[in-house]
Each structure stands twice: as structure tokens, then as C-alpha cells.
Amino acid sequence: MKTKKNLTTVVPLVMAAALVAAGCDASGSTSTSDGRTVVKIALWNYETTPEWKALIDGFEAKNPDIDVQPVDILAEDYPDKVTTMLAGGDTTDVLTMKNVTDYARYATRGQLEPLTDQVKKLPRASYSGLENFDLDGQYYAIPYRQDFWVLYYNRALIGDADLSHLTWSQFADLAKKTTEGSGSAKVYGTYLHTWRSVVQAIASAQTGGDLLGGDYGFMKDQYAMALDLQKAKATLPFSTASSQNITYDSQLTTEKAAMVPMGTWWAAALLAEKKQGKNPVDWGMAPMPQVSANGETVTFGSPTAFAVNKKAKNAEEAEKFVTWASGPEGAAAIASIGVVPAYSDDKIMDRFFAVEGMPNDPVSRQAMQPSEVRLEMPVSDKSSDIDQILTEEHELVMSGEKSVDEGIEEMNDRVRNDVQ
């Protein structure tokens, strides 16, 4: 686990490393040799995340006087790196908000440029996730994509099973039924990734539980189901997945797991892999399994947004990029490669399902129309600290170092006494 750092002592050294590793321009240049204005954008995993190129190329085609340059950071390092960059006075123009927890922290520290005037001009009914960036009536970022969780599956391994309205009990039964083999040839019925969201955010969204509230009893049934699947050897053990840095992508694409709950962002990566000949799996999407069998599909997700650095060198051009990328043209650009945009209409979704290789069957289309998408983690100045506590206790419960009851009791105590 990462521990909190004393920024006053580590910033000077870390910033120097960050500038080199991330490719930041310490020279202060704000234009290219041919006179184009440079806009630097902090993002992660540029080469393996196709939406970045789609957005940058699309924007530059409309704005040939602007040169958008990526500041590429490893995904796992991104939150810490950006936090350090901002603390050190970095002037990267556009900052990608990977989640609303980080957004709330940066915005409340006064590190982001207000975008409230731009938001007031938007057709709000066409945007999903916009309300999550409302901080006391002010906006400091605009979402360009809205991801939520669905159930990915291998058609050959699932066979004719109906995935359109699964409860979690039915999901667990199907995972056990489709588990077969042993050793290196074993195929698990499902893979539950190591993130706490796989259990906690699902439980919160589908029971109405409050992840900031300090009372986490609503997680008990979801933990019981996940641990039962481990006991039945119908999913890779948490400890193995964690210690070996198993990726959810490898579990589906190498046919090691029949079903994998995961976010809609994965579709674009799967399509790209198949186009490159790296992924032969015939996959589909289904709605997330549900606690209740009432016919409603409640899932969770989180928007991804762009913000303008308060210390941006070219704030005007940066704002231009943010509004374009989050609007209809930016939405069309990323929908065309299988990414779910925050802005949507019928034409945008037709583009999404028209992508070569995108599953277009009724169940996959149903998966993309949930009844409700609830925010993965509520926005609060306490979100980051609570997230850390919940993550630590999740790891102890899933690895068997604590019972479910012990883990939940510790979550309750730590949040109530240390944060609230």
C-alpha cells in the first residue's frame, strides 16, 4: 500500500523526475517552430489507449493552429504523479481527471481553472455524468466519457446461457457450472479483479449503501458471494491475482475465464487487440448481475473528464480543447472506436455499435442501456481518505486475513474515528 508522503520534502526531487519521465517541457516554450500554439495534456498510456489519438487528431484537424502534445504517464502512477506535478507548480495545460475523487481534491485546492461559464452553455440533457462535477454550483472539469460496468463473457464458454437478467446468485451458480479443468488448463467460470469496486461499489450501487457513511454492513452479502466463488475455485484467488499482477484482459482473451465484470472502457481495448490479431475470443456484453430480480439494471460507473490547469500556459486554447473533446464532435470521435462518450444521442450510439467487431446482439445493446448508473465514489473532501481505508480492508478480507465481519467492523471504526 502507498503511504501518505510529506509533499514539502519530496516535491523538489520528485518533480524533477516527473518532468523527465512524463516528457514535460521545462524550457517554457508555448509554440512550435511553425507558429502553432502548444497545448500540453496530461494523460496515461498513450500508445495503448486509442481514444487519445482519436481526440487529439480530431481536434487538430479542426484547429490547425494548435499543436496538442501528450504528457504520457503510466496509468498506475497517474494520480500520484499529477498530484506531485500540481504541488510543484507544473504548467501542463489540460489535465485528465481519471476519477471524481481526484477531481474534488484538485478543485478544492484551487488548482483547476473554473469552467462554469462553459458548462452553462451545454445541452445538459445530452450529457451523462456532468452533475458529478458540480461543486457548490461551480464546475472545474467537463466529462468527455461516461463508463459504467457490464458483464463481459466468452460466447463459446457460456454457450446458450441467458445472461440478460442474472441475479448475483444465478451468476455464482453459472460461474461454478462453467468452471472446468485443472492446472494450467483450468478455465474459471469468472474472474473478479482485485479492485475493491468489484465488491464494494457493486454493493453500494445496488443496495443504496453510502460509501462515505461509516456503516458498511450493506457489503456483507456481496463479500460472501465473492469469497464463496473463491472457496469453490470458480474464480482465481485474490491473493494469486494480486501477487502475480494478473490483468483482467488476460483472463478473458486467453480463455482463462468465462465471465468478467468490468467497465465499458474495456470494449475499445478488446476491439483494438482483435484488429491487431492478438485477441481471437468471440466476446459479448451483458447487463451487470443484480441484487434484486425486479427487472431493473442498476450499475455503477465514473465519468472521465478534462480540466484546465490553473497555471496553464495557454488557458484559452486549453479550454477550446476541453469543450471540443467533451462535445458532439469529440463524442463522435471516440464512439467511432468503441468508447462510450459522456455526450450522447441516437447518432452517437449508432456510431458506437457500428464499430467493426463490436457486439451488436440484443443482450449487448441491453447492456449499454442500464436503468441507472450510480457514481462509483461520491465526491467529497473525505473521499480520498475513505477510499484508502476501504481499499486496505478489502485486500485483507479478500486475502483471508480478516473475516467479512471483522473487515466491515474495521471499516466502520476507521472511517468514523479517523475521517468523519
Side-chain angles (χ1 to χ4, degrees):
M1 292 303 299
K2 293 183 175 70
T3 58
K4 293 183 178 178
K5 300 180 177 71
N6 183 340
L7 289 177
T8 60
T9 59
V10 302
V11 163
L13 291 176
V14 177
M15 267 306 299
L19 289 170
V20 174
C24 298
D25 182 6
S27 69
S29 175
T30 61
S31 62
T32 61
S33 59
D34 59 0
R36 290 184 296 159
T37 301
V38 171
V39 171
K40 291 183 179 291
I41 173 173
L43 45 75
W44 56 88
N45 295 7
Y46 179 84
E47 293 297 333
T48 57
T49 309
E51 71 197 61
W52 305 130
K53 183 172 174 56
L55 288 171
I56 291 172
D57 288 354
F59 177 76
E60 289 183 337
K62 296 286 289 188
N63 300 274
D65 59 330
I66 300 176
D67 178 29
V68 180
Q69 298 181 1
V71 176
D72 196 7
I73 301 170
L74 289 174
E76 57 266 32
D77 297 336
Y78 188 80
D80 288 346
K81 185 79 75 174
V82 172
T83 297
T84 302
M85 288 166 63
L86 290 175
D90 184 85
T91 58
T92 299
D93 301 285
V94 177
L95 305 168
T96 309
M97 299 290 101
K98 198 172 186 181
N99 55 61
V100 293
T101 302
D102 293 332
Y103 161 73
R105 182 167 63 250
Y106 304 144
T108 54
R109 290 177 179 173
Q111 295 172 320
L112 306 179
E113 190 74 24
L115 296 173
T116 307
D117 290 342
Q118 289 81 352
V119 169
K120 288 179 179 178
K121 301 173 186 177
L122 301 178
R124 300 176 71 92
S126 299
Y127 281 81
S128 177
L130 183 60
E131 68 281 359
N132 297 315
F133 296 91
D134 183 347
L135 291 176
D136 297 325
Q138 298 296 311
Y139 293 82
Y140 301 87
I142 305 176
Y144 73 92
R145 62 184 289 175
Q146 169 66 66
D147 288 297
F148 52 87
W149 281 50
V150 299
L151 182 65
Y152 292 83
Y153 66 96
N154 180 318
R155 295 184 191 278
L157 297 178
I158 290 299
D160 59 0
D162 183 5
L163 305 184
S164 59
H165 294 93
L166 288 179
T167 63
W168 284 109
S169 176
Q170 292 168 333
F171 166 84
D173 289 343
L174 182 59
K176 294 172 184 177
K177 180 181 177 181
T178 52
T179 296
E180 57 184 29
S182 60
S184 61
K186 181 162 186 172
V187 176
Y188 294 98
T190 188
Y191 172 68
L192 302 179
H193 197 46
T194 56
W195 299 333
R196 68 166 188 80
S197 300
V198 177
V199 175
Q200 296 179 1
I202 288 170
S204 174
Q206 296 185 359
T207 68
D210 182 2
L211 287 174
L212 302 181
D215 184 355
Y216 299 105
F218 63 86
M219 298 178 181
K220 187 170 183 177
D221 289 346
Q222 203 69 21
Y223 269 117
M225 185 273 297
L227 291 169
D228 178 65
L229 285 173
Q230 282 194 160
K231 184 178 180 181
K233 299 181 180 179
T235 185
L236 191 69
F238 176 92
S239 296
T240 301
S242 182
S243 63
Q244 296 184 12
N245 294 316
I246 299 296
T247 67
Y248 54 84
D249 186 89
S250 67
Q251 292 298 288
L252 186 76
T253 58
T254 62
E255 300 189 289
K256 291 296 184 182
M259 300 180 290
V260 181
M262 192 49 61
T264 49
W265 66 80
W266 192 14
L270 289 171
L271 294 174
E273 289 169 0
K274 180 161 286 190
K275 192 173 183 179
Q276 296 165 7
K278 300 177 181 178
N279 170 14
V281 174
D282 181 16
W283 57 276
M285 297 179 289
M288 278 288 279
Q290 300 292 299
V291 170
S292 172
N294 62 5
E296 297 289 304
T297 300
V298 178
T299 186
F300 73 93
S302 182
T304 309
F306 289 125
V308 177
N309 187 350
K310 188 73 171 178
K311 296 187 177 181
K313 289 184 178 179
N314 292 305
E316 182 178 345
E317 291 79 5
E319 289 179 12
K320 194 171 186 178
F321 175 83
V322 171
T323 54
W324 182 92
S326 60
E329 292 180 284
I334 62 174
S336 297
I337 59 169
V339 174
V340 182
Y343 175 92
S344 186
D345 56 31
D346 290 342
K347 290 183 179 179
I348 295 296
M349 292 315 297
D350 286 344
R351 278 179 176 263
F352 178 83
F353 282 109
V355 177
E356 182 180 357
M358 180 68 73
N360 199 17
D361 59 281
V363 175
S364 292
R365 281 186 169 266
Q366 180 188 349
M368 297 305 296
Q369 296 178 312
S371 307
E372 185 177 0
V373 178
R374 294 180 176 162
L375 187 61
E376 180 173 353
M377 186 70 170
V379 179
S380 165
D381 58 356
K382 298 179 175 62
S383 296
S384 182
D385 290 336
I386 292 176
D387 176 69
Q388 181 171 334
I389 291 171
L390 297 182
T391 297
E392 291 171 356
E393 296 303 325
H394 171 74
E395 293 173 352
L396 293 172
V397 170
M398 291 302 298
S399 62
E401 295 183 49
K402 286 185 180 178
S403 69
V404 174
D405 288 337
E406 289 170 339
I408 289 176
E409 182 178 358
E410 193 67 14
M411 292 178 207
N412 294 344
D413 289 344
R414 291 181 65 188
V415 169
R416 291 171 184 171
N417 297 324
D418 299 345
V419 181
Q420 291 182 345

